[in-house]
Amino acid sequence: MDKEKTGDDEKQQKDTSFDLNDYTIIKEGEAEILMHSKNQVFYNKTQVNNRDMSIAVLRTFISQRKLEHESTLDRRVKTGPKVPDESVSGMEPTADSVQYNGKFNDGYELLEEMSSDEPCSISGAPTRNLRGKDREELKPARVLEALSASGLRALRYAREVEGIGQVVALDNDKVSVEACRRNIRFNGPVACSKLESHLADARVYMLTHPKEFDVVDLDPYGSPSLFLDSAVQSVADGGMLMCTATDLAVLCGGNGEVCYSKYGSYPLRGKYCHEMALRILLACIESHANRYKRYIVPVLSVQMDFYVRVFVRIYSSASAMKNTPLKLSYVYQCTGCDSFHLQPVGRTISKDNSLRYHPGFGPAVPQECSDCGKKFNMGGPIWSAPIHDQEWVASILADVKSIKERYPAYNRICAVLTAISEELPDIPLFLSLHNISATLKCTSPSAVMFRSAVINAGYRISGTHVNPLGLKTDAPMHTIWDIMRCWVKNHPVKAQPSNQAGSMILAKEPVLQANFARAVASFSKAQAKKVARFLPNPEKHWGPKLRAGRQITERIVKMLVGLGR
C-alpha cells in the first residue's frame, strides 16, 4: 500500500502544472501523452503503423551500427594503429572530431551546458571524445525528431529503443513545444533524462548541427521537400534518415507540375503510381545529398495507408557519388496499353582498367508503341536501383516477431514486411494483371496461372507490397502480351474497334507459346503458409486527421455520416 501511495504521490507531483481534467490520456507502446480537448496539437492515431515500423527499423539500425563499429575496430587491429602527429597545433578538425552546436570538439572541449529554463533537458555533458582507447568506444546514438508536435514519436524512441543516448524534439509552434515538454514530464525520469524539446525552425537547427545526429526523422504534415536539403547535412556518416511524405495526390500524378517543382521529377498516373512515388522521393533525397558529396543507400521503402515512408542511410564520398546517374531512370508509359519502359540516365564503360561515365543510351522506345501503336508519356527521373535491402528486411522482420508484444500495430507491420521480403529487389515498378486484362477486354487469368506462365517462359515474377494485384517481373512487355494472346485464344473476346489498343495487340500472332501449367514457385512462401500480407483497415474513415487547431464541424460530421453509408 505504501509503495502504491508513493507512486500516486509522484504522479501527482509531476502533474501539478496542469489540470488533468482538461486532457485525455493516450497510451501507445510504453509512452503516454496528454491530449487537450481543443485539438491544439496534432496527433494522428493512424500513424501508429508508421511509428511501429520506425521503431523496428531503429532497433535494427542500432544493432547494425554496433556490428559495423566492431568490424572497423577489428580491421584497425589487423592493420595496426596510426600514430597521430600531436606536434601540429591549430590543425583542421579530423574525422574523429565530433561537432556540436556548430563547433568541433576533439576531446578538449565539452558541449555547453543546457540552459536552465529548458525543462527536462539533459544536464550532463556528452562523453569526452578523448584520444586513445576511449575514442574507440561507440557513443549512444543521437536522434533528432525534426517535427515533433505532441512528442509521442520521440517519447517512444526514448523509452522503447535501447542504445539511444539522446532524443532532440523540435517544433516551431509554441503550443506544440509546451505540450511536448508537458508529455516528457508526464512520462517520468526516463523520458526526462533522454529527451529534450526545443522551439526552433527545423531547417535552421539542422543546418547549424551538420553531421551531428545518427538518426534524423522527418514526418511532416504534407511534403518533406522543404526540409530535405538541411536534413541530409545533419545526418552523421553512416547515419539514418527516416522520411515520410503524405502528399500522395501530388506524387501520384494529380498535379504533375507541382510534383516537379517540389521533387524534381514528373509523375505518371499508372497503376504503379504509389511505387513511383517512393522512387521519386528517393531520387529527390539523393539529389539533395549529392550537392554535399553525399549519397544514399535505401534499406526499406514502404507505401502504407495514406503515405510513403523511406529509410535511407547517408554516406559521404565524392567518388561513390558519381554512380548516381546509374541509379536513376526516365519512364516511358504507353497511352494505349499502359506498357512501360525505363531509360537509365547514365552508363559506364571499362577502358584501360578504369571506369568511365557516359550518358545513357536513348531513346529507349520508338515514337509509337510497338505493341499497340499509341504514343508515350515520359516521366521521371525516378530511383531505379533497389529500394530495399533484403538482409535488413529479414533482420527487421525477425526482430518484430521476437518481441511482437511491444508493437501495438504488430499485425499490420508484420504483414507489410512479409510482403516486402518476397519482392524482387531489382525490378522497378510493376504490372497490374487486371489492368492488362482490361486493355484486352478479356477475363483475367488467375494470378497463379499468369505467374506460372511467366516462370515457365524462363523469367522471374513476384508480388509487391504496394498493391495486392501488382506483379513484378523481368519479362519484357512483348512476352507479357504473348502470354495474354495465348490466354485469349482459349478465352475468346468480343470483336472490338480496330483502332483500340487491345484490338491492335490481339491482331498479332504470339511468338511465344505460353505454358499455363502450375509452376512450383507460382505461390509465394507466405501464400503457401497462409500468412497474411494485406490487411483491411482496422476501423472506418482510417486516414489522416484534422490539422491541429481545427474542430470537427457539423458539415464534416454530415460528410462522414454520408461516407459511412
Side-chain angles (χ1 to χ4, degrees), residues 41 195 215 254 543:
V41 179
L195 182 56
V215 179

Side-chain angles (χ1 to χ4, degrees), residues 26-288:
I26 296 174
K27 180 174 176 59
E28 184 179 293
E30 296 180 16
E32 291 180 328
I33 61 170
L34 298 165
M35 288 303 298
H36 201 281
S37 57
K38 293 183 179 180
N39 189 33
Q40 294 175 316
V41 179
F42 182 67
Y43 161 72
N44 203 343
K45 177 182 177 181
T46 60
Q47 289 285 64
V48 62
N49 300 327
N50 185 313
R51 290 184 282 267
D52 269 13
M53 187 71 77
S54 302
I55 288 171
V57 174
L58 195 49
R59 283 186 175 129
T60 301
F61 170 72
I62 297 292
S63 301
Q64 186 67 24
R65 179 172 173 263
K66 184 178 180 181
L67 292 174
E68 289 172 359
H69 179 73
E70 292 172 353
S71 177
T72 301
L73 292 183
D74 289 342
R75 286 198 302 271
R76 287 181 183 175
V77 170
K78 290 177 182 177
T79 57
K82 293 182 180 180
V83 181
D85 185 3
E86 300 286 353
S87 62
V88 181
S89 60
M91 65 175 68
E92 290 294 321
T94 65
D96 294 318
S97 301
V98 178
Q99 193 174 6
Y100 292 107
N101 294 336
K103 297 180 181 179
F104 284 94
N105 168 21
D106 62 353
Y108 300 102
E109 295 181 12
L110 293 176
L111 180 66
E112 294 177 356
E113 292 288 333
M114 299 287 184
S115 58
S116 58
D117 58 341
E118 294 283 353
C120 294
S121 295
I122 295 179
S123 58
T127 308
R128 290 173 179 264
N129 188 17
L130 301 174
R131 303 181 187 279
K133 184 178 178 181
D134 290 342
R135 186 183 63 186
E136 297 178 350
E137 293 180 358
L138 182 66
K139 292 185 176 70
R142 301 186 74 225
V143 179
L144 173 68
E145 192 197 356
L147 307 152
S148 63
S150 65
L152 175 58
R153 184 184 299 266
L155 282 165
R156 290 196 63 189
Y157 289 167
R159 296 196 60 171
E160 297 181 33
V161 183
E162 296 179 7
I164 288 181
Q166 181 189 28
V167 181
V168 178
L170 304 179
D171 208 293
N172 65 349
D173 177 57
K174 187 176 180 181
V175 176
S176 295
V177 173
E178 289 173 356
C180 184
R181 291 174 178 172
R182 180 168 58 243
N183 289 329
I184 293 171
R185 295 196 301 273
F186 187 73
N187 278 266
V190 174
C192 286
S193 65
K194 287 189 176 183
L195 182 56
E196 60 184 62
S197 177
H198 297 286
L199 177 65
D201 187 318
R203 294 167 294 181
V204 176
Y205 191 92
M206 290 187 286
L207 283 173
T208 53
H209 294 74
K211 296 186 179 180
E212 182 174 327
F213 294 95
D214 300 292
V215 179
V216 172
D217 191 315
L218 291 178
D219 187 19
Y221 193 103
S223 172
S225 58
L226 289 173
F227 306 97
L228 293 179
D229 198 77
S230 49
V232 296
Q233 298 179 68
S234 187
V235 180
D237 281 339
M240 176 84 72
L241 173 62
M242 308 191 291
C243 181
T244 301
T246 60
D247 56 336
L248 287 189
V250 170
L251 283 164
C252 292
N255 299 92
E257 65 281 4
V258 175
C259 183
Y260 189 84
S261 67
K262 288 184 176 181
Y263 297 98
S265 293
Y266 211 95
L268 297 173
R269 301 185 72 174
K271 289 295 181 181
Y272 49 70
C273 62
H274 289 100
E275 182 179 332
M276 191 173 188
L278 279 170
R279 294 181 179 276
I280 287 174
L281 179 56
L282 289 170
C284 184
I285 297 173
E286 174 80 346
S287 173
H288 284 285

Side-chain angles (χ1 to χ4, degrees), residues 315-329:
Y315 298 91
S316 298
S317 173
S319 58
M321 188 188 66
K322 295 178 182 178
N323 291 320
T324 293
L326 310 178
K327 306 171 188 174
L328 303 177
S329 296

Side-chain angles (χ1 to χ4, degrees), residues 469-533:
L469 302 175
L471 295 170
K472 285 178 170 285
T473 178
D474 58 351
M477 284 308 303
H478 63 80
T479 299
I480 299 298
W481 290 126
D482 274 354
I483 291 172
M484 293 305 296
R485 289 184 186 108
C486 294
W487 170 260
V488 170
K489 282 191 175 185
N490 296 323
H491 301 79
V493 298
K494 293 180 180 180
Q496 301 292 330
S498 60
N499 63 341
Q500 288 195 1
S503 300
M504 299 180 74
I505 291 170
L506 293 176
K508 300 176 183 179
E509 285 296 316
V511 176
L512 170 75
Q513 294 303 314
N515 177 9
F516 291 98
R518 179 169 293 185
V520 176
S522 59
F523 272 113
S524 69
K525 292 180 180 178
Q527 281 179 305
K529 295 179 180 178
K530 296 184 178 180
V531 177
R533 295 168 299 148

